[in-house]
Each structure stands twice: as structure tokens, then as C-alpha cells.
Amino acid sequence: MNVNGTPTRTIWLADDGRSVQIIDQTRLPHAWEVITLRSMAEAARAIKDMWVRGAPLIGATAAYGMALAMAEDASDANLQAAHDHLYATRPTAVNLRWALQAMQDCLRPLPADQRAAAAYQRAAALCDEDVEINYAIGGHGLTLFKQRWTERKAAGAERLNVLTHCNAGWLATVDWGTALAPIYRFFDEGLPIHVWVDETRPRNQGASLTAWELNQHGVPHTVIPDNVGGHLMQHGMVDLCIVGTDRTTASGDVCNKIGTYLKALAAHDNGVPFYVALPSPTIDWTLDDGIKEIPIEERDATEVTQLTGRTASGQIETITITPAGSPAGNWGFDVTPARYVTALITEKGVCPATRDGLAGLFGV
Ligand SMILES: CSC[C@@H](O)[C@@H](O)C(=O)COP(=O)(O)O
């Protein structure tokens, strides 16, 4: 996507051909800062501390983390140690496990002296695949968006109103995004669209990241507090919802950023289509019951008790919003049962959120 008019990805190889560069997403929307990762440990820290985040970008960063590890020490022992270290960074997005497995499968059969070069190649290919997958998701989503727009236009609507939660855009992937890819494609065709952006407490991925990237691309949008969506749906102000996912079970249960489930319930109650966009590496074919089986990340309570933003004088500062002594809970994700999902949008096409639907597309 374009940043200040320049095509940019979220992760790339540095000019030295060994280090890896990323955008520090903790600084957005207030500052644009590029960080250079020089070791596997730094790649792991980038994932854990959410300098990068979003399921596909977590996978891509882990893949480059393995490449950095092989440049440091390409022994069998380090291959396993790097895998284990990176795997422990965040528990919910299954793309992490998928990417690490892809790297292991590529590297383990090779002699140690060939592993570093092969690892950089595989990591780069994995990033290119992510871009292609997301572009294809955008195309399939675009067809659905156009169908909905035809209905809404006939009913007198002036624009397609889309609600999204968290950030499943360009910043969450290598490029394009998953849930935002159809939005960009629809907008690029000159069709009228407006996006309701859930702020997405506690870390505000919607207010800080989705709003920032929609701004960069010029897509009309409005940031809303997380509890507004139900009201908008009751008043016919949302034509469809679309979100990404960190892990979707083989049966179609969708795990995504905390609060997604409540939006799906509101959409169901109001007859608003609720779509989930996902690349195939986000499907966990080993799981059936998302609520019982998907590990839900719990993060530090300070993400709830504190807020960071820019003051009137331009300083970036953190403030506390809760009384001293009040504990806070910080679950990062929730699971939306498949029955509330209108359809899944994948790189292979659109399917019902069912085992048969996914198996039909992927032949699994
Ligand atoms: C294409 S991204 C889909 C999800 O990864 C996204 O919606 C999300 O929940 C990200 O969570 P985060 O905690 O910011 O990594």
C-alpha cells in the first residue's frame, strides 16, 4: 500500500542483505519509525511487544526470525531453539505455528552451510505468498461487496457502510490486509464506501492503525467507540461487517480480537451480514471447537488501566485511567461461533463457515 504516496510493505530485507526492517506499530499513528531487527531475539521481541502484530505479519516476522537465527548459527540445535523461542512469543494467531513449521520443513533436510541462504529465500517467498493471498481475498470480497451495494443502492443508500473491528488491514499483513483488502478494492474502483472503525480497546488497533491506513489511502471512515456498533446496526447504518481472524477452526469457529463476538451477535440480531476474511494459513485444521480449544492470550493489565496518546504540545505520553488498586482483566481475543458468521472469504473463494464449506474449498 502507499505511505505518503510510496508503495510500502510492512516487512522487508535491509540493504545489508541480512537484517530485517519493520514499522514500529506501537508508534502509529503519531510517528513513523522503522526498526531494524538484527537477531532472532530481536524478531521475537518485535512479535511479543507488538511492534508488529496481526496474524499474517506475526507469521512473516517469525519466518525472518528463523532466517536471522540461521545466519547466527545454522546447527540443528539452534534450528530447534529458534523455533521454540519464536513460538513462545504469542499464543493465539496460528499463523505463527504455520510459518515456523514451513521454515522447519524447508531447513531441516539441508546441510547447515546451506540453511541461512535457504531461510532468507523461504521467508521472502512466504511474504510474497501473503501478498498474493490477500489480493485474491480482496477480489472475492469485492464481489460480495458489489452484490450488497446493488441491494443497498436499490433501497436508496448513497454509500456502502462497512463496520470493521481491530486492524486486519495492510499493517496486519505483508500488504493489502485481509478484511480491508475488499474495502481498498471497492474504493479503488471508484465505488462509494464508508467504514465504521471500532476503536478496539484496550490497544486501540482500530483507532490507531485502521484509521491511519484508511487515511493514507483516502478511504472515508469514522472511528467509533467499541460499544456503538449495535446502535448503528439497529438504525440501518451498517450494511455489512467484515473482520479478520487469528485462528479459525476446521468447523468455522472464528477467533479474533476481543469484542468481535459482540459485533457478530449484534449483526445476527439485526440481519446484517457478518463476513470473516482469512488466508488459509489462519485455518487450524486440528481444531473443532473454538471456544474450548483455542488458546486466548492474556496480556498485561496496564494495557487496560493506561492509555497512550499525543498531548496538545505534541508529546507522546501515557496516562492512567483507573483508580489505584482496581484490578483489570485483559483477554486479547474471543471466539465467534460459526453460526454467527455469514461466510468466510478466503484466497480460494467464499464458503459457509462450516467444515464442509472449508473442506470444499481446500480439499482437506
Ligand atoms: C489480518 S489480521 C487478523 C487478526 O490478526 C486481527 O484482527 C487481530 O486480531 C490482531 O490482533 P493483534 O493483537 O493486534 O495482533
Side-chain angles (χ1 to χ4, degrees):
M1 304 300 286
N2 290 336
V3 177
N4 298 323
T6 307
T8 312
R9 285 187 175 188
T10 53
I11 187 164
W12 62 93
L13 197 60
D15 287 342
D16 65 9
R18 175 177 164 138
S19 333
V20 176
Q21 293 186 305
I22 55 160
I23 302 152
D24 182 354
Q25 299 195 19
T26 65
R27 305 286 291 164
L28 288 172
H30 307 299
W32 171 267
E33 282 175 20
V34 169
I35 296 183
T36 303
L37 307 175
R38 296 191 169 81
S39 65
M40 183 277 295
E42 285 180 1
R45 181 154 179 229
I47 299 171
K48 197 171 176 54
D49 290 351
M50 293 177 69
W51 304 344
V52 292
R53 25 70 48 208
L57 182 56
I58 289 171
T61 308
Y64 269 119
M66 291 295 283
L68 287 162
M70 293 300 92
E72 288 157 22
D73 165 6
S75 64
D76 281 359
N78 198 41
L79 186 58
Q80 193 56 46
H83 171 282
D84 295 351
H85 189 96
L86 288 158
Y87 188 62
T89 50
R90 293 192 71 189
T92 302
V94 75
N95 306 58
L96 175 65
R97 184 182 79 196
W98 172 86
L100 290 172
Q101 191 59 52
M103 295 301 286
Q104 287 255 32
D105 291 347
C106 161
L107 300 174
R108 199 162 280 288
L110 298 177
D113 64 347
Q114 290 176 21
R115 282 181 177 161
Y120 279 100
Q121 255 179 23
R122 185 69 189 99
L126 197 140
C127 289
D128 290 344
E129 284 159 23
D130 182 64
V131 179
E132 279 169 31
I133 284 175
N134 297 331
Y135 186 76
I137 288 172
H140 297 302
L142 176 64
T143 307
L144 288 177
F145 276 39
K146 282 181 171 169
Q147 283 163 3
R148 185 72 178 137
W149 172 230
T150 305
E151 289 165 16
R152 297 300 299 134
K153 200 161 104 178
E158 290 176 359
R159 61 185 187 180
L160 187 72
N161 278 304
V162 175
L163 184 142
T164 192
H165 191 72
C166 195
N167 172 263
W170 164 71
L171 288 166
T173 64
V174 179
D175 206 347
W176 282 105
T178 56
L180 295 199
I183 291 174
Y184 290 126
R185 302 274 303 261
F186 194 86
F187 175 81
D188 288 348
E189 290 205 3
L191 294 165
I193 192 162
H194 166 263
V195 186
W196 298 111
V197 178
D198 280 354
E199 62 177 345
T200 319
R201 280 281 286 147
R203 285 189 68 109
N204 291 318
Q205 287 94 331
S208 301
L209 304 177
T210 301
W212 180 84
E213 61 172 89
L214 291 175
N215 247 326
Q216 286 290 324
H217 204 81
V219 180
H221 62 280
T222 306
V223 178
I224 50 173
D226 287 330
N227 36 19
V228 170
H231 168 76
L232 297 180
M233 291 187 222
Q234 285 175 328
H235 289 271
M237 294 165 76
V238 180
D239 298 320
L240 65 89
C241 302
I242 186 163
V243 298
T245 166
D246 294 84
R247 193 183 297 224
T248 289
T249 64
S251 56
D253 289 345
V254 169
C255 181
N256 191 47
K257 181 52 58 191
I258 194 81
T260 301
Y261 169 53
L262 293 178
K263 291 301 139 68
L265 284 181
H268 184 75
D269 192 42
N270 289 284
V272 174
F274 189 89
Y275 295 114
V276 178
L278 71 159
S280 51
T282 306
I283 304 166
D284 189 338
W285 297 102
T286 69
L287 300 190
D288 185 57
D289 184 329
I291 295 172
K292 287 201 183 124
E293 296 175 304
I294 296 179
I296 301 295
E297 178 175 23
E298 288 184 54
R299 296 184 62 87
D300 200 284
T302 53
E303 293 182 350
V304 177
T305 60
Q306 299 179 343
L307 281 176
T308 300
R310 193 175 51 203
T311 64
S313 60
Q315 299 294 108
I316 296 179
E317 281 186 13
T318 299
I319 55 161
T320 299
I321 58 167
T322 51
S326 286
N330 189 7
W331 290 268
F333 300 91
D334 60 26
V335 173
T336 299
R339 64 182 176 278
Y340 296 121
V341 177
T342 307
L344 300 172
I345 308 172
T346 78
E347 72 270 28
K348 295 253 179 154
V350 177
C351 72
T354 60
R355 181 175 290 280
D356 286 350
L358 281 169
L361 282 184
F362 292 96
V364 175

